[in-house]
Amino acid sequence: MSPRAALLLLAAAALAAGCEPTLTALTVAPPTAVAECDDAAKDVRLSEGIALAIECTYQGSPCEDATMSSSDPDVVRVMPGFVDLLAPGDAYQRYPADVPRSVFIFVGGKPGDATVTLTSTDANATVDVKVLPLP
Amino acid sequence: MPFTRFLLPFLALATGCAQGSSGALGQTDTTAACPPSELVCAVAGIDAPIAKGATLPIQVSVTSEGAATPPLSFVSANPAVFKIDDARIHALSPGLASMLITTEGELVVDFLHVWVAEADALRLHRVTTGGLQTSPLPAAMEMLVGDELTLVASPHLGPQRLLGELDAQFEADPAVVLMLDEGVAGSRRIVAKAAGETNVTVKALDIEVAVALTVLEVKP
């Protein structure tokens, strides 16, 4: 591969990476349960009956007009969340924002696999969700 | 004035902002719904598993600055573990599940992970005039004719006292004591009626516990 082609490929990869929204877990699992969000792999592991709050950002700002839908609500239910009740500067160090943060609550249902589709004005993504039985 | 009544205002100050269990998103506080006199209960939060078969009335408030509490609904993330009706958690089977706190439009403002556990013991506690409960009663007690004693049955698992109101049955010799149901779940006011001995037996959650009462009469 020529240096020019490698450079083009690198630039394309950088552009493609920039189109991905970032998913960040805002909460943790209670003892014995699992509630994890892997942004790089765009997958979520969750115990049945456990909720996990996930924030969607795009280039550092809240994902705009974001919605999420589950392929199987019996496995994972996704509900919109609202986390802007607290004033900035509290113990959680929330930043002031011109627009509400984009947060969704994933709720584990019966054990199994499902996909959650994220659509927003900024970018779209598919999140693979695995719901695990509690020990 | 009983010492506990004197203590209550200081307890309120000492607890400061530690009012109940904070939600995972830090926007709500959840406590058991308690009478105002039971300050320890009101500030304790959901600080233990709920006993399987018991019911826990809850109270949730939003802790944000600049916003009063909006209309709220409570949703169980696993109705096999617990269900919620009319702001009461009904513990159905041992396990763990999240309680979602939502407002209009199924918008989640917070959630709280809640445990349900099966009790392995039932213990009796005395309710004082200040509403506070002492450590579990001994196996035997003495009363004078005319004395009163309010008992409440509470579920335990190992060293931990579990939460929840119980549907408890109380039995004792009616010739020795009167047992008044004052409408508080799992509780009776016991009035010593005549000299004698009786066992106050309490059954709940398929567990039985008893305290032996000896009622004495002071003769002039």
Side-chain angles (χ1 to χ4, degrees), chain B residues 143-163:
Chain B
M143 300 172 74
L144 291 176
V145 172
D147 279 354
E148 296 185 9
L149 173 68
T150 301
L151 296 181
V152 62
S154 67
H156 285 69
L157 175 59
Q160 192 174 27
R161 181 176 174 180
L162 303 180
L163 299 177

Side-chain angles (χ1 to χ4, degrees), chain A residues 12 15 31 37 93:
Chain A
L15 281 173
C37 174
Q93 295 296 306

Side-chain angles (χ1 to χ4, degrees), chain A residues 48-135:
Chain A
E48 61 179 323
I50 297 300
L52 171 67
I54 294 177
E55 180 169 23
C56 177
T57 55
Y58 181 75
Q59 296 179 345
S61 297
C63 293
E64 197 174 332
D65 297 327
T67 59
M68 284 195 180
S69 61
S70 170
S71 65
D72 188 347
D74 288 339
V75 173
V76 63
R77 191 174 167 200
V78 184
M79 303 167 76
F82 185 81
V83 297
D84 295 309
L85 279 169
L86 286 180
D90 68 1
Y92 287 78
Q93 295 296 306
R94 292 181 179 164
Y95 53 82
D98 293 330
V99 292
R101 292 165 72 181
S102 178
V103 173
F104 295 88
I105 313 300
F106 285 49
V107 183
K110 67 181 184 186
D113 296 311
T115 57
V116 170
T117 303
L118 162 70
T119 58
S120 75
T121 307
D122 303 312
N124 302 329
T126 300
V127 182
D128 295 319
V129 180
K130 179 178 281 294
V131 176
L132 308 164
L134 276 168

